[in-house]
Amino acid sequence: MDAGDNATVAGHVPVMLDRVLALLGPAVQAAGPAAERGPGGQPAGAPVYVDATLGLGGHAEAMLRAHPGLRLIGIDRDTTALERSARRLAPFADRIIALEHAVYDAVPEVLHRLGVPAVDAVLFDLGVSSPQLDEAERGFAYSYDAPLDMRMDRTQSLTAAEVVNGYPPAELARILREYGEERFAQRIAAAIVRERRRAPLESTKRLADLVRSAIPAATRRTGGNPAKRTFQALRIEVNGELDTWRRALPAALDALRVGGRVVVLSYHSLEDRITKRVLAEQAADTTPPGLPVPLPEHRPRFRLLTRGAELPSDEETTTNPRAASVRLRAAERVRENPGAGDPPGSRREAR
């Protein structure tokens, strides 16, 4: 690991780490007998933890340290993050099933390829990572002048420059309004279209300055950098974040064995709304109204582990400002799919 990578990893503070460990811990306590071998040569019955947004591996490292019998599957769409986390997690190499270059909605495909039928814990730490924000050339931050890129996975083709220079005005306005919750979406989209006619928009600074000039002066004086919502919207569009999340969470819930748990860390209201809706649906009894008793096959598949969305402590937001906007939700699987009972030997029965 070079000096720059060392500094990046050393300065990386996993968000709400203690709470993540407390919530996932009960799902991964039991380890299987080391003499029996399962997929990938791993101990059969050993608990499996999927870090679906591995990043720099901070949460994964803490989980592996806390639970000596735990096995890890790490997933990230960012190849740079995978390289750095692999070096960080090298001391646990014998307990890593795989580190996979994939988007987090690919959990079922990854598990199928690895021959892992079900897992005990899943973590999603959504949004843009610290290295992506800190590395100017990635183009995520309006505080640096850099190419308009914003790709989490640099092997994909679509960039923010292609969006701002190629999308029709109405589509630009829709993205800014829906993904950035920007009330001046129409004005900003019109300004982008006028500017790109003169010359293509290719730098973060030029876009940030353009957004600032398109917003009324009174609004610019409050609420932080006025380009924040536009940059969020473009990042979500480039990386397909919301559509991916709508697929990813239900798929991850299906991959959990009974007694397994999921924790989600989201950083803006759009992600959190999807999380809230999906978990609430899975934790609801779907017995048709009017029946005198709940039907067993309509019992909830999950129980919520958090009352609403949990927020970071004041102390954490002081020491780690990037945690300020996080919202945490968690749930535990309590039964199999509708119509199925708890299978023999399930974690739920074993406990």
Side-chain angles (χ1 to χ4, degrees), residues 153-315:
D153 180 355
R154 286 187 279 191
T155 67
Q156 76 173 48
S157 58
L158 183 66
T159 67
E162 292 179 40
V163 174
V164 297
N165 291 301
Y167 276 29
E171 184 67 1
L172 274 177
R174 182 193 68 80
I175 289 167
L176 297 178
R177 183 174 57 253
E178 292 184 9
Y179 298 165
E181 300 180 289
E182 173 57 74
R183 61 188 174 121
F184 299 109
Q186 205 74 40
R187 293 176 62 147
I188 294 170
I192 288 173
V193 171
R194 286 194 301 271
E195 187 68 12
R196 75 188 188 188
R197 286 180 185 142
R198 287 192 281 270
L201 283 156
E202 296 177 342
S203 81
T204 54
K205 184 178 186 304
R206 189 167 163 222
L207 177 61
D209 290 345
L210 179 65
V211 172
R212 179 181 291 275
S213 66
I215 289 176
T219 303
R220 294 199 299 264
R221 289 193 285 270
T222 60
N225 193 307
K228 178 180 179 179
R229 291 178 294 276
T230 293
F231 273 62
Q232 173 182 296
L234 292 173
R235 190 201 81 213
I236 289 172
E237 172 65 16
V238 168
N239 296 288
E241 292 176 50
L242 295 182
D243 288 340
T244 299
W245 185 227
R246 290 185 185 98
R247 296 187 298 269
L249 183 54
L253 297 179
D254 284 342
L256 286 168
R257 70 176 79 249
V258 173
R261 293 183 170 197
V262 64
V263 169
V264 178
L265 300 168
S266 55
Y267 296 83
H268 57 74
S269 60
L270 302 174
E271 290 171 338
D272 186 55
R273 281 178 211 150
I274 295 170
T275 306
K276 178 182 179 181
R277 176 182 56 77
V278 172
L279 294 184
E281 289 171 354
Q282 295 291 335
D285 188 302
T286 59
T287 298
L291 294 183
V293 295
L295 298 176
E297 64 271 24
H298 288 271
R299 288 178 299 145
R301 294 174 65 219
F302 284 80
R303 72 179 181 95
L304 302 181
L305 299 173
T306 53
R307 188 181 294 275
E310 292 188 3
L311 309 180
S313 66
D314 291 340
E315 179 182 359

Side-chain angles (χ1 to χ4, degrees), residues 28-32 42-43 45-48 63-64 66-72 95:
V28 298
Q29 294 295 337
Q42 302 298 327
V48 177
M63 285 287 290
L64 289 166
H67 304 285
L70 187 64
R71 299 299 183 264
L72 168 70
R95 294 163 55 199

